[in-house]
Structure formats: C-alpha cells, structure tokens
C-alpha cells in the first residue's frame, strides 16, 4: 500500500519561520515603549518603608554603546541601603514573565505597553518592590529584589513578577564600603544622566510645539500686506 504522507509544511518548519517575525516584533515593541531610558520611584510591599529608585533602559540599540548586545530591557533598583539590584531581560525572559502573568496570548506590543505603564505607574498599572533576604546561615542582607507588576485591563487585573539579583551588596563593615560606594555612585550619576536627557527631550518637544510652521496661505497674505 501507499505510505502515509505527513502534513505539509511540518510544524517544525512553521515554528522556524515564525521565530524571525517574533524576534522582530519584540525588538519593534521594545523600541516603541522603551524608546528612552527613564527613572522612577517604586513603592515597597511593606507599608512605611522607604521607596526604591529604579532606572529602566533598553539595551542593544543599533549603533549605540550597547551595539552587538541582544535587545533587552535592563532594570536597576536601589534604596541606597540594602544594595543595588539589576537584571537584563531579553525576549525569552520577558516571554516567561508574560506567560506567568497569564498573558501568553498578548502580542509584544500590548504586553510591553502594559509593562511600561506598570513601571511608570500609569493607566491604573503599578509596580512595587520587595527585598528578599538570603536563607538562614548564609547572611543577613537581601539576596535579591522582586518586582510585583500589576496590569490593569478592561475586565481583569493581572499580576506578574520580575526577580532582580543583587549587583552591589551593601557593606556590613567599614572595610567593605569603598566598592559599594563606587557602584552606588555609578548608579546615581547614571540616573541623573537619564533624567537630564529626558528633561532636554521634553524641552525640545515643548519648544517645537510652541513654534509651529506658519501655513503657506498666511505667509502669502502677510507678504501682500
């Protein structure tokens, strides 16, 4: 008898053809919703505690300082006393966040728009931080920080989480202060640089809106006066 012919095209080939489109969709959405780095303050899960300062920035821009790096979102947070926590999330890692938040069917544009809104505290979305201490017998300081993201949708509210490992550990004695203070200084100056760039961008946009181009008809009538 005749052999059974499998389905064409095979699923493996379809998956391979979709991968470049998915990657491009991620890069495009990341460039739109995280076009510029920004600085925000994030509240803590524990009421009454000091807030964390967070710097959110896109990495992997073509021709930039991070050229050649796979496109990703880097989030750095600190309360200046517990330590500095940092994580870079690429398409795979952000895909895990999206799936665990129950948003696997969301396209990259919709998901990254909601993620940006949560980090900025906009559109009913929000983000809070919890510093997670290390286990017993290992130490006393926090080993990581956990971002809890609340996404406000029309008919539901979903929650996602991002874990940020510690990058600069706060010193427990005077002898360990210098390395941490150097790392903290880099973080602070980086945050100030981001805030300045955003301020200049807003000023440029405001000046452009206040100096509109005169319509040609008006220019012609002015010349005839």
């Amino acid at each position: 008898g005749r052999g059974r012919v499998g389905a064409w095209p095979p699923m493996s080939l379809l998956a391979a053809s979709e991968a470049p489109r998915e990657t491009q969709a991620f890069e495009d959405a990341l460039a739109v919703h995280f076009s510029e780095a920004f600085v925000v303050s994030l509240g803590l899960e524990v009421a009454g505690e000091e807030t964390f300062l967070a710097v959110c920035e896109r990495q992997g821009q073509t021709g930039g300082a991070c050229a050649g790096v796979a496109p990703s979102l880097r989030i750095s947070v600190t309360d200046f006393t517990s330590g500095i926590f940092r994580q870079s999330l690429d398409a795979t890692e952000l895909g895990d966040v999206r799936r665990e938040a129950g948003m696997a069917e969301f396209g990259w544009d919709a998901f990254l728009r909601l993620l940006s809104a949560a980090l900025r505290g906009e559109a009913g979305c929000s983000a809070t931080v919890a510093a997670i201490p290390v286990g017993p017998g290992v130490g006393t300081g926090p080993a990581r920080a956990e971002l809890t993201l609340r996404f406000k949708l029309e008919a539901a509210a979903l929650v996602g989480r991002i874990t940020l490992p510690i990058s600069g550990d706060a010193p427990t004695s005077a002898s360990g202060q210098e390395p941490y203070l150097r790392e903290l200084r880099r973080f602070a100056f980086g945050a100030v640089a981001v805030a300045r760039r955003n301020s200049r961008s807003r000023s440029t946009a405001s000046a452009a809106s206040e100096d509109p181009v005169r319509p040609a008809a008006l220019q012609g009538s002015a010349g005839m006066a």
Side-chain angles (χ1 to χ4, degrees), residues 19-96:
R21 288 190 220 171
E22 183 76 359
T23 299
Q24 190 61 54
F26 170 75
E27 294 179 9
D28 291 346
L30 191 67
V32 169
H33 300 294
F34 293 90
S35 59
E36 293 184 342
F38 58 89
V39 181
V40 292
S41 61
L42 302 175
L44 282 117
E45 292 288 333
V46 180
E49 295 290 337
E50 294 294 329
T51 57
F52 275 67
L53 188 68
V55 178
C56 307
E57 54 191 329
R58 175 171 55 106
Q59 293 184 300
Q61 301 97 314
T62 302
C66 298
V69 177
S72 63
L73 173 65
R74 186 170 73 167
I75 304 174
S76 307
V77 304
T78 187
D79 63 352
F80 297 96
T81 58
S82 299
I84 301 170
F85 306 88
R86 182 176 291 121
Q87 180 67 293
S88 293
L89 301 113
D90 60 16
T92 299
E93 292 158 326
L94 283 172
D96 291 340

